[in-house]
Amino acid sequence: MRYDTGVFSLAYAGSVRYYAAMLACRRVVVHTAERSKKTPWCAHHCRVIGANGEQTLTLPLVKPACGAVNTLEISEHGDWRRTHWGAVFSAYGKSPFFEYIADDLEAIYNDTSITSLADFNIAIHRLVIDFLDLPIDVEYVDELPEMSEGVVDLRGKVGMSSADSLDWIADESYWQVWQDRHGFRPDQSIFDLLMTNGREALFILERMIK
């Protein structure tokens, strides 16, 4: 399945299916001025698997946490930077590719000058794209493209808290660090696929949309 243009919500370390969906679009647009009564789940949540199972990491937002996504600020409440990095380290510290990206990823988490939700998510995304050498060039826009034929609106439909209904994406199993303990868990954060497969992740994502 291929689309001319895909419109996406901003995501915090978007899920594996989120990145597979991006790969299925010739043009990828992230709507940074998306508005809703409730911030899209994927914009400030991601899932990782550690020794104790699946864990949801939540970016705390400065209240009121509503309005356009690109106006939202991250709160320093709860020492989240240390907590999130600790969770990623605990989950993937022993994975094959962790050491190759760890320093750059930790630097983003520790950069207290990044307070905008959009800026933080974009920094994570660019690191993922660069590390995996994914052929995905994202346009961050405030104004939506015309919703014509060939444009698929995936905002709020992929990489969310519950399973999506996109039948053109098939989950592809791969080795996970804690699989012996918890079984294979699909649609985790892209961190999960990146840490275990490195640049082989591209081939897994491609198979998911074929």
Side-chain angles (χ1 to χ4, degrees), residues 70-160:
N70 59 3
T71 67
L72 301 180
E73 295 289 317
I74 303 175
S75 168
E76 292 303 320
H77 176 74
D79 195 18
W80 71 268
R81 295 179 188 273
R82 182 185 63 81
T83 301
H84 284 214
W85 173 246
V88 173
F89 183 89
S90 177
Y92 304 115
K94 295 181 180 179
S95 62
F97 295 92
F98 178 81
E99 64 179 301
Y100 298 104
I101 197 172
D103 289 347
D104 291 334
L105 186 57
E106 184 180 16
I108 293 174
Y109 275 107
N110 289 337
D111 188 350
T112 55
S113 70
I114 304 177
T115 60
S116 160
L117 177 65
D119 289 348
F120 179 79
N121 286 347
I122 290 170
I124 294 283
H125 169 79
R126 286 175 174 165
L127 179 62
V128 168
I129 291 293
D130 182 64
F131 184 79
L132 295 180
D133 197 24
L134 296 180
I136 298 172
D137 186 15
V138 175
E139 299 174 41
Y140 296 95
V141 301
D142 293 342
E143 298 293 331
L144 284 174
E146 182 180 349
M147 293 299 176
S148 57
E149 185 177 354
V151 177
V152 58
D153 187 357
L154 295 170
R155 292 175 300 163
K157 297 177 182 177
V158 62
M160 307 302 285

Side-chain angles (χ1 to χ4, degrees), residues 155-176:
R155 292 175 300 163
K157 297 177 182 177
V158 62
M160 307 302 285
S161 59
S162 56
D164 64 67
S165 58
L166 303 177
D167 58 8
W168 47 274
I169 303 177
D171 291 322
E172 174 89 7
S173 63
Y174 56 89
W175 176 78
Q176 294 177 325

Side-chain angles (χ1 to χ4, degrees), residues 2 23 25 29-30 42 63-64 68 73 79 83 85 93 103 105 107 109 118 126 132 140 145 180 194 206 209-210:
R2 288 290 189 275
L23 200 61
C25 301
V29 173
V30 170
C42 64
K63 295 183 178 180
E73 295 289 317
D79 195 18
T83 301
W85 173 246
D103 289 347
L105 186 57
Y109 275 107
R126 286 175 174 165
L132 295 180
Y140 296 95
D180 289 347
L194 181 157
E206 286 180 335
I209 54 176
K210 287 181 178 178

Side-chain angles (χ1 to χ4, degrees), residues 7-78:
V7 183
F8 293 78
S9 297
L10 195 69
Y12 167 31
S15 74
V16 173
R17 288 177 68 89
Y18 177 91
Y19 275 91
M22 281 190 165
L23 200 61
C25 301
R26 296 180 180 88
R27 179 189 179 204
V28 175
V29 173
V30 170
H31 187 204
T32 55
E34 181 178 358
R35 286 179 174 272
S36 64
K37 293 181 180 179
K38 189 175 182 181
T39 305
W41 186 89
C42 64
H44 60 125
H45 296 86
C46 74
R47 285 186 287 257
V48 298
I49 305 175
N52 296 320
E54 190 174 280
Q55 180 180 2
T56 298
L57 306 181
T58 304
L59 295 173
L61 302 177
V62 175
K63 295 183 178 180
C66 57
V69 174
N70 59 3
T71 67
L72 301 180
E73 295 289 317
I74 303 175
S75 168
E76 292 303 320
H77 176 74

